[in-house]
Amino acid sequence: MQEYEFELKYAVPAGLTLEMIEHRLFEGGCDDALPGVGQKGRLALAFHRNASSAQRAVNSALRDVGHALPELRLVEVGPDWVGVSEVAGLFEFSRQYMLKLINQNQETFPLPLHEGKAALWHLAEVLAWFVEYQGRTVDASLCDVAAFTRVFNIAREFRGLNDAQRRQAVRLAEAG
Amino acid sequence: MSRDRHSKKEVEAALAYAESMGWRIEKATGHAWGRLYCPFNNRQCRCGEFCVISIWSTPKNPGNFARQIRRVVDNCRGEAEVN
């Protein structure tokens, strides 16, 4: 058994009180999660769960929450999409230092999946870069979680496509 | 100011740490012992959902739970300084 830390974020419909949410989560076996309830209509659960793999840890948490509170809708499974501040926090750098690292290593640093006011990367790619190019050791269970959440979120996106779009996406992926 | 102590000593220590950083505790009834409120719970704050956290009376693993509370408090502080 290994400990895995990850976060599930949900949209909460009106009419569910905080007391009800807490009660059902606790009764449903989510006493290994820290509930964040600071934003209206949102519930974030920071899990610290024992399981034999990252996939089993995340899937069992999704199942537990789904049974306890079927009216919630999943927004995001993380850590996957991360910005500069989150990566900096993870390695205990300042935000400024992290920006400098990215700018000085433009040839090798992973390309963002979105750039705009704030850029986003897949955590799994950023962790792999730190291991390969900076010689950092990264917690193995964090790497496992980030690899799985990435696949999970891509699979969810894929599920949102219709049949024709799915076939098109597979063709594009295989064409490289 | 006096308040009820949490029965798990690791959690109680994390709560005391949060209070020393300006977080406010409100007692609750039921499975949640109480709730912890971030001092910057406003537009400037970047804690997001974790501006308010529920504190279980009997978390599955008090040590892990206490560490998670401390991490939320530390993240909050960091972001508040950036802003």
Side-chain angles (χ1 to χ4, degrees), chain A residues 4 11 19 47 67-68 84 103 106 118 120 127 134 153 161 170:
Chain A
Y4 295 97
E19 288 73 17
F47 275 91
H67 285 153
V84 172
N103 283 328
Q106 287 190 2
L120 287 179
L127 294 177
Q134 299 285 306
N153 285 318
L161 303 176
V170 170

Side-chain angles (χ1 to χ4, degrees), chain A:
Chain A
M1 291 293 252
Q2 174 83 37
E3 292 193 339
Y4 295 97
E5 290 187 66
F6 53 91
E7 197 178 306
L8 307 182
K9 194 186 288 191
Y10 290 91
V12 182
L16 271 178
T17 66
L18 187 46
E19 288 73 17
M20 284 157 72
I21 292 170
E22 288 166 344
H23 180 81
R24 290 210 240 148
L25 283 175
F26 191 92
E27 293 289 323
C30 298
D31 54 344
D32 56 352
L34 176 72
V37 293
Q39 270 178 15
K40 201 170 158 48
R42 288 288 181 273
L43 168 69
L45 293 166
F47 275 91
H48 200 132
R49 181 158 283 216
N50 279 313
S52 56
S53 72
Q55 177 169 356
R56 288 211 170 88
V58 175
N59 279 338
S60 75
L62 287 165
R63 212 167 36 240
D64 287 350
V65 179
H67 285 153
L69 292 156
E71 49 280 82
L72 301 189
R73 285 178 303 147
L74 184 66
V75 175
E76 192 181 334
V77 175
D80 177 18
W81 305 312
V82 291
V84 172
S85 299
E86 284 154 295
V87 178
L90 210 55
F91 288 95
E92 296 178 341
F93 298 154
S94 68
R95 197 185 135 79
Q96 285 73 12
Y97 180 74
M98 191 60 225
L99 284 170
K100 196 171 117 188
L101 256 189
I102 295 169
N103 283 328
Q104 286 177 342
N105 295 282
Q106 287 190 2
E107 293 293 309
T108 59
F109 198 79
L111 292 172
L113 66 126
H114 170 75
E115 226 165 29
K117 237 173 157 183
L120 287 179
W121 288 265
H122 280 297
L123 178 61
E125 291 188 325
V126 174
L127 294 177
W129 181 83
F130 272 101
V131 171
E132 187 174 350
Y133 292 96
Q134 299 285 306
R136 305 273 304 203
T137 46
V138 178
D139 181 62
S141 79
L142 176 63
C143 288
D144 290 350
V145 165
F148 177 68
T149 54
R150 181 187 186 189
V151 173
F152 182 92
N153 285 318
I154 289 172
R156 269 185 88 216
E157 283 287 299
F158 192 77
R159 221 179 297 140
L161 303 176
N162 65 34
D163 284 349
Q165 289 167 328
R166 287 183 191 191
R167 282 195 296 276
Q168 189 180 24
V170 170
R171 274 200 307 275
L172 287 167
E174 285 171 351

